[in-house]
Amino acid sequence: MISKKMTERLNRQINREIYSAYLYAGMASKSASLGLKGFENWFLVQIKEELSHAKRMYDYVNESGDRVMLQDIEAPPQEYSSPIDLFEKTLEHEKRVTRMINDLVTLAKQEKDKTTEGFLQWYVEEQEEEEEHAGGVLEKIKKAVEDNGDKGVSIINEYLARRVFTPPEAKV
Ligand code: FEO
């Protein structure tokens, strides 16, 4: 049985994961409006990633004998100044999520809740991967633009078009 406080915090995290999907949906749409179908594809795959993060936590809360209580999801930002900006904001967001996950781990430790602490370990590793991935793309875009100007964005657009969704279960 997990504590009431932990259940509330996990519910909050489910909300943040779904918000992440919403944020990336906005970025996908912005990419499409710029004619960058590869960028759009990357963010559409990211939506699936985020929903899978939410679903994993949803299952954990439900299987713990508690109920998922859904809360409001605010509108994400709509405007981004450039393709680089999209990935700067992505990396910033992922760093924020990492801090939230780390805070949850701290709470689990304080409550001596080993089961939840173990459960969260998957998210700790996933966040390392998320930051590395977003940061890697950001560096690639910056370098491509530096070396090739606007053509650099097209090169990265082709690269991002190749991303496919791998369900997290399949990564283990
Ligand atoms: Fe679910 Fe991108 O963190």
Side-chain angles (χ1 to χ4, degrees):
M1 192 72 179
I2 51 182
S3 73
K4 191 169 180 303
K5 185 173 179 186
M6 181 58 86
T7 306
E8 281 169 8
R9 293 283 296 277
L10 290 173
N11 268 309
R12 174 77 185 146
Q13 191 62 35
I14 290 169
N15 177 282
R16 292 299 82 194
E17 298 294 344
I18 297 174
Y19 171 78
S20 300
Y22 212 33
L23 174 73
Y24 293 130
M27 292 190 184
S29 171
K30 177 68 186 180
S31 302
S33 77
L34 295 171
L36 296 170
K37 299 296 279 179
F39 279 69
E40 181 191 20
N41 173 64
W42 195 95
F43 288 113
L44 290 176
V45 171
Q46 193 61 22
I47 293 171
K48 293 182 186 168
E49 283 273 339
E50 298 304 344
L51 292 178
S52 75
H53 298 169
K55 173 64 167 55
R56 198 180 188 99
M57 209 165 271
Y58 164 96
D59 286 341
Y60 182 73
V61 171
N62 275 343
E63 284 161 16
S64 301
D66 283 298
R67 233 193 101 188
V68 171
M69 301 300 284
L70 298 172
Q71 298 152 19
D72 290 349
I73 296 177
E74 71 274 24
Q78 310 285 349
E79 289 309 323
Y80 299 93
S81 58
S82 66
I84 288 179
D85 189 37
L86 283 165
F87 275 91
E88 280 175 342
K89 298 280 166 43
T90 296
L91 183 57
E92 263 171 41
H93 180 70
E94 290 304 329
K95 287 183 174 173
R96 206 173 301 128
V97 175
T98 299
R99 287 196 292 275
M100 289 177 207
I101 296 293
N102 290 343
D103 287 348
L104 280 172
V105 172
T106 302
L107 178 63
K109 283 188 198 304
Q110 281 166 356
E111 295 194 343
K112 299 189 174 36
D113 178 352
K114 291 276 176 210
T115 310
T116 304
E117 190 184 337
F119 165 73
L120 289 168
Q121 196 49 43
W122 182 88
Y123 286 87
V124 170
E125 286 163 24
E126 183 71 4
Q127 278 313 119
E128 269 177 34
E129 213 177 277
E130 292 270 87
E131 281 193 33
E132 207 176 287
H133 193 176
V137 174
L138 178 60
E139 287 315 307
K140 272 192 172 60
I141 305 175
K142 283 183 175 169
K143 173 129 192 18
V145 169
E146 207 176 283
D147 294 348
N148 304 287
D150 283 349
K151 186 155 187 306
V153 175
S154 305
I155 293 167
I156 299 299
N157 191 46
E158 282 170 30
Y159 164 74
L160 296 180
R162 296 201 292 270
R163 186 182 189 195
V164 290
F165 177 60
T166 309
E169 308 76 59
K171 288 187 207 162
V172 185

PDB file of all heavy atoms in Angstrom, residues 14 52-66 68 119 123:
ATOM      1  N   ILE A  14       1.475  11.607 -13.382  1.00  0.00           N
ATOM      2  CA  ILE A  14       0.705  11.120 -14.549  1.00  0.00           C
ATOM      3  C   ILE A  14       0.223  12.333 -15.350  1.00  0.00           C
ATOM      4  O   ILE A  14       0.313  12.379 -16.578  1.00  0.00           O
ATOM      5  CB  ILE A  14      -0.492  10.243 -14.094  1.00  0.00           C
ATOM      6  CG1 ILE A  14       0.022   8.923 -13.531  1.00  0.00           C
ATOM      7  CG2 ILE A  14      -1.467  10.004 -15.255  1.00  0.00           C
ATOM      8  CD1 ILE A  14      -1.031   8.093 -12.806  1.00  0.00           C
ATOM      9  N   SER A  52       3.099   6.445 -23.015  1.00  0.00           N
ATOM     10  CA  SER A  52       3.504   5.159 -22.433  1.00  0.00           C
ATOM     11  C   SER A  52       4.056   5.370 -21.023  1.00  0.00           C
ATOM     12  O   SER A  52       3.859   4.529 -20.145  1.00  0.00           O
ATOM     13  CB  SER A  52       4.518   4.440 -23.338  1.00  0.00           C
ATOM     14  OG  SER A  52       5.787   5.039 -23.246  1.00  0.00           O
ATOM     15  N   HIS A  53       4.707   6.518 -20.785  1.00  0.00           N
ATOM     16  CA  HIS A  53       5.184   6.821 -19.417  1.00  0.00           C
ATOM     17  C   HIS A  53       3.980   6.993 -18.475  1.00  0.00           C
ATOM     18  O   HIS A  53       3.998   6.527 -17.334  1.00  0.00           O
ATOM     19  CB  HIS A  53       5.998   8.127 -19.389  1.00  0.00           C
ATOM     20  CG  HIS A  53       7.237   8.085 -20.224  1.00  0.00           C
ATOM     21  ND1 HIS A  53       7.985   9.207 -20.508  1.00  0.00           N
ATOM     22  CD2 HIS A  53       7.869   7.051 -20.842  1.00  0.00           C
ATOM     23  CE1 HIS A  53       9.017   8.859 -21.275  1.00  0.00           C
ATOM     24  NE2 HIS A  53       8.964   7.570 -21.484  1.00  0.00           N
ATOM     25  N   ALA A  54       2.965   7.696 -18.980  1.00  0.00           N
ATOM     26  CA  ALA A  54       1.764   7.917 -18.162  1.00  0.00           C
ATOM     27  C   ALA A  54       1.059   6.593 -17.873  1.00  0.00           C
ATOM     28  O   ALA A  54       0.632   6.333 -16.747  1.00  0.00           O
ATOM     29  CB  ALA A  54       0.813   8.872 -18.882  1.00  0.00           C
ATOM     30  N   LYS A  55       0.986   5.741 -18.889  1.00  0.00           N
ATOM     31  CA  LYS A  55       0.256   4.473 -18.743  1.00  0.00           C
ATOM     32  C   LYS A  55       0.937   3.553 -17.720  1.00  0.00           C
ATOM     33  O   LYS A  55       0.282   2.896 -16.912  1.00  0.00           O
ATOM     34  CB  LYS A  55       0.167   3.792 -20.116  1.00  0.00           C
ATOM     35  CG  LYS A  55      -0.416   2.398 -20.113  1.00  0.00           C
ATOM     36  CD  LYS A  55      -1.874   2.380 -19.660  1.00  0.00           C
ATOM     37  CE  LYS A  55      -2.586   1.059 -19.943  1.00  0.00           C
ATOM     38  NZ  LYS A  55      -1.981  -0.127 -19.428  1.00  0.00           N
ATOM     39  N   ARG A  56       2.260   3.542 -17.758  1.00  0.00           N
ATOM     40  CA  ARG A  56       2.994   2.699 -16.801  1.00  0.00           C
ATOM     41  C   ARG A  56       2.675   3.133 -15.363  1.00  0.00           C
ATOM     42  O   ARG A  56       2.468   2.325 -14.471  1.00  0.00           O
ATOM     43  CB  ARG A  56       4.494   2.856 -17.095  1.00  0.00           C
ATOM     44  CG  ARG A  56       5.374   1.783 -16.531  1.00  0.00           C
ATOM     45  CD  ARG A  56       6.827   2.091 -16.912  1.00  0.00           C
ATOM     46  NE  ARG A  56       7.683   0.993 -16.560  1.00  0.00           N
ATOM     47  CZ  ARG A  56       8.112   0.057 -17.393  1.00  0.00           C
ATOM     48  NH1 ARG A  56       7.749   0.083 -18.651  1.00  0.00           N
ATOM     49  NH2 ARG A  56       8.896  -0.919 -16.975  1.00  0.00           N
ATOM     50  N   MET A  57       2.632   4.440 -15.149  1.00  0.00           N
ATOM     51  CA  MET A  57       2.358   4.960 -13.809  1.00  0.00           C
ATOM     52  C   MET A  57       0.880   4.749 -13.441  1.00  0.00           C
ATOM     53  O   MET A  57       0.550   4.449 -12.289  1.00  0.00           O
ATOM     54  CB  MET A  57       2.747   6.437 -13.748  1.00  0.00           C
ATOM     55  CG  MET A  57       3.167   6.870 -12.369  1.00  0.00           C
ATOM     56  SD  MET A  57       4.010   8.454 -12.358  1.00  0.00           S
ATOM     57  CE  MET A  57       5.714   8.021 -12.605  1.00  0.00           C
ATOM     58  N   TYR A  58       0.027   4.903 -14.412  1.00  0.00           N
ATOM     59  CA  TYR A  58      -1.414   4.641 -14.234  1.00  0.00           C
ATOM     60  C   TYR A  58      -1.610   3.204 -13.727  1.00  0.00           C
ATOM     61  O   TYR A  58      -2.329   2.951 -12.759  1.00  0.00           O
ATOM     62  CB  TYR A  58      -2.095   4.874 -15.588  1.00  0.00           C
ATOM     63  CG  TYR A  58      -3.483   4.316 -15.748  1.00  0.00           C
ATOM     64  CD1 TYR A  58      -4.610   5.113 -15.538  1.00  0.00           C
ATOM     65  CD2 TYR A  58      -3.681   2.986 -16.152  1.00  0.00           C
ATOM     66  CE1 TYR A  58      -5.891   4.603 -15.703  1.00  0.00           C
ATOM     67  CE2 TYR A  58      -4.955   2.471 -16.326  1.00  0.00           C
ATOM     68  CZ  TYR A  58      -6.062   3.278 -16.093  1.00  0.00           C
ATOM     69  OH  TYR A  58      -7.309   2.768 -16.258  1.00  0.00           O
ATOM     70  N   ASP A  59      -0.936   2.264 -14.396  1.00  0.00           N
ATOM     71  CA  ASP A  59      -1.059   0.855 -13.979  1.00  0.00           C
ATOM     72  C   ASP A  59      -0.561   0.669 -12.553  1.00  0.00           C
ATOM     73  O   ASP A  59      -1.163  -0.055 -11.765  1.00  0.00           O
ATOM     74  CB  ASP A  59      -0.242  -0.047 -14.916  1.00  0.00           C
ATOM     75  CG  ASP A  59      -0.902  -0.210 -16.279  1.00  0.00           C
ATOM     76  OD1 ASP A  59      -2.120   0.057 -16.385  1.00  0.00           O
ATOM     77  OD2 ASP A  59      -0.205  -0.590 -17.231  1.00  0.00           O
ATOM     78  N   TYR A  60       0.540   1.320 -12.226  1.00  0.00           N
ATOM     79  CA  TYR A  60       1.121   1.161 -10.884  1.00  0.00           C
ATOM     80  C   TYR A  60       0.151   1.656  -9.809  1.00  0.00           C
ATOM     81  O   TYR A  60      -0.070   0.972  -8.803  1.00  0.00           O
ATOM     82  CB  TYR A  60       2.454   1.912 -10.795  1.00  0.00           C
ATOM     83  CG  TYR A  60       3.118   1.746  -9.442  1.00  0.00           C
ATOM     84  CD1 TYR A  60       3.721   0.546  -9.087  1.00  0.00           C
ATOM     85  CD2 TYR A  60       3.134   2.793  -8.512  1.00  0.00           C
ATOM     86  CE1 TYR A  60       4.319   0.383  -7.842  1.00  0.00           C
ATOM     87  CE2 TYR A  60       3.729   2.637  -7.274  1.00  0.00           C
ATOM     88  CZ  TYR A  60       4.323   1.435  -6.939  1.00  0.00           C
ATOM     89  OH  TYR A  60       4.901   1.265  -5.706  1.00  0.00           O
ATOM     90  N   VAL A  61      -0.430   2.826 -10.042  1.00  0.00           N
ATOM     91  CA  VAL A  61      -1.367   3.381  -9.050  1.00  0.00           C
ATOM     92  C   VAL A  61      -2.595   2.473  -8.924  1.00  0.00           C
ATOM     93  O   VAL A  61      -3.005   2.102  -7.828  1.00  0.00           O
ATOM     94  CB  VAL A  61      -1.787   4.833  -9.423  1.00  0.00           C
ATOM     95  CG1 VAL A  61      -2.915   5.331  -8.529  1.00  0.00           C
ATOM     96  CG2 VAL A  61      -0.590   5.777  -9.330  1.00  0.00           C
ATOM     97  N   ASN A  62      -3.142   2.067 -10.060  1.00  0.00           N
ATOM     98  CA  ASN A  62      -4.339   1.212 -10.008  1.00  0.00           C
ATOM     99  C   ASN A  62      -4.042  -0.132  -9.346  1.00  0.00           C
ATOM    100  O   ASN A  62      -4.832  -0.625  -8.546  1.00  0.00           O
ATOM    101  CB  ASN A  62      -4.883   0.975 -11.425  1.00  0.00           C
ATOM    102  CG  ASN A  62      -5.803   2.098 -11.859  1.00  0.00           C
ATOM    103  OD1 ASN A  62      -6.277   2.878 -11.039  1.00  0.00           O
ATOM    104  ND2 ASN A  62      -6.057   2.194 -13.144  1.00  0.00           N
ATOM    105  N   GLU A  63      -2.879  -0.699  -9.675  1.00  0.00           N
ATOM    106  CA  GLU A  63      -2.549  -2.005  -9.110  1.00  0.00           C
ATOM    107  C   GLU A  63      -2.183  -1.913  -7.632  1.00  0.00           C
ATOM    108  O   GLU A  63      -2.157  -2.917  -6.934  1.00  0.00           O
ATOM    109  CB  GLU A  63      -1.417  -2.656  -9.924  1.00  0.00           C
ATOM    110  CG  GLU A  63      -1.934  -3.202 -11.253  1.00  0.00           C
ATOM    111  CD  GLU A  63      -0.843  -3.429 -12.290  1.00  0.00           C
ATOM    112  OE1 GLU A  63       0.348  -3.460 -11.903  1.00  0.00           O
ATOM    113  OE2 GLU A  63      -1.185  -3.546 -13.478  1.00  0.00           O
ATOM    114  N   SER A  64      -1.907  -0.706  -7.159  1.00  0.00           N
ATOM    115  CA  SER A  64      -1.609  -0.515  -5.732  1.00  0.00           C
ATOM    116  C   SER A  64      -2.899  -0.438  -4.919  1.00  0.00           C
ATOM    117  O   SER A  64      -2.850  -0.242  -3.707  1.00  0.00           O
ATOM    118  CB  SER A  64      -0.822   0.771  -5.509  1.00  0.00           C
ATOM    119  OG  SER A  64       0.361   0.735  -6.222  1.00  0.00           O
ATOM    120  N   GLY A  65      -4.023  -0.523  -5.587  1.00  0.00           N
ATOM    121  CA  GLY A  65      -5.302  -0.477  -4.879  1.00  0.00           C
ATOM    122  C   GLY A  65      -5.857   0.926  -4.747  1.00  0.00           C
ATOM    123  O   GLY A  65      -6.881   1.145  -4.093  1.00  0.00           O
ATOM    124  N   ASP A  66      -5.163   1.899  -5.377  1.00  0.00           N
ATOM    125  CA  ASP A  66      -5.671   3.274  -5.363  1.00  0.00           C
ATOM    126  C   ASP A  66      -6.293   3.591  -6.716  1.00  0.00           C
ATOM    127  O   ASP A  66      -6.294   2.761  -7.615  1.00  0.00           O
ATOM    128  CB  ASP A  66      -4.541   4.252  -5.054  1.00  0.00           C
ATOM    129  CG  ASP A  66      -4.208   4.240  -3.579  1.00  0.00           C
ATOM    130  OD1 ASP A  66      -5.097   4.587  -2.788  1.00  0.00           O
ATOM    131  OD2 ASP A  66      -3.081   3.846  -3.231  1.00  0.00           O
ATOM    132  N   VAL A  68      -6.564   6.376  -9.993  1.00  0.00           N
ATOM    133  CA  VAL A  68      -5.969   7.524 -10.684  1.00  0.00           C
ATOM    134  C   VAL A  68      -7.019   8.630 -10.719  1.00  0.00           C
ATOM    135  O   VAL A  68      -8.156   8.401 -11.127  1.00  0.00           O
ATOM    136  CB  VAL A  68      -5.550   7.129 -12.121  1.00  0.00           C
ATOM    137  CG1 VAL A  68      -5.144   8.343 -12.922  1.00  0.00           C
ATOM    138  CG2 VAL A  68      -4.417   6.106 -12.070  1.00  0.00           C
ATOM    139  N   PHE A 119      10.067   0.904  -8.382  1.00  0.00           N
ATOM    140  CA  PHE A 119       9.249   1.207  -9.560  1.00  0.00           C
ATOM    141  C   PHE A 119       9.792   2.438 -10.294  1.00  0.00           C
ATOM    142  O   PHE A 119       9.856   2.486 -11.524  1.00  0.00           O
ATOM    143  CB  PHE A 119       7.793   1.436  -9.116  1.00  0.00           C
ATOM    144  CG  PHE A 119       6.931   2.080 -10.152  1.00  0.00           C
ATOM    145  CD1 PHE A 119       6.502   1.355 -11.267  1.00  0.00           C
ATOM    146  CD2 PHE A 119       6.565   3.418 -10.044  1.00  0.00           C
ATOM    147  CE1 PHE A 119       5.714   1.963 -12.241  1.00  0.00           C
ATOM    148  CE2 PHE A 119       5.777   4.019 -11.011  1.00  0.00           C
ATOM    149  CZ  PHE A 119       5.352   3.299 -12.117  1.00  0.00           C
ATOM    150  N   TYR A 123      12.002   5.013 -14.420  1.00  0.00           N
ATOM    151  CA  TYR A 123      11.849   6.409 -14.878  1.00  0.00           C
ATOM    152  C   TYR A 123      13.170   7.174 -14.786  1.00  0.00           C
ATOM    153  O   TYR A 123      13.446   8.030 -15.624  1.00  0.00           O
ATOM    154  CB  TYR A 123      10.761   7.122 -14.074  1.00  0.00           C
ATOM    155  CG  TYR A 123       9.366   6.674 -14.456  1.00  0.00           C
ATOM    156  CD1 TYR A 123       8.789   5.564 -13.840  1.00  0.00           C
ATOM    157  CD2 TYR A 123       8.639   7.325 -15.447  1.00  0.00           C
ATOM    158  CE1 TYR A 123       7.517   5.122 -14.200  1.00  0.00           C
ATOM    159  CE2 TYR A 123       7.372   6.899 -15.814  1.00  0.00           C
ATOM    160  CZ  TYR A 123       6.815   5.797 -15.188  1.00  0.00           C
ATOM    161  OH  TYR A 123       5.572   5.365 -15.557  1.00  0.00           O
TER     162      TYR A 123
END
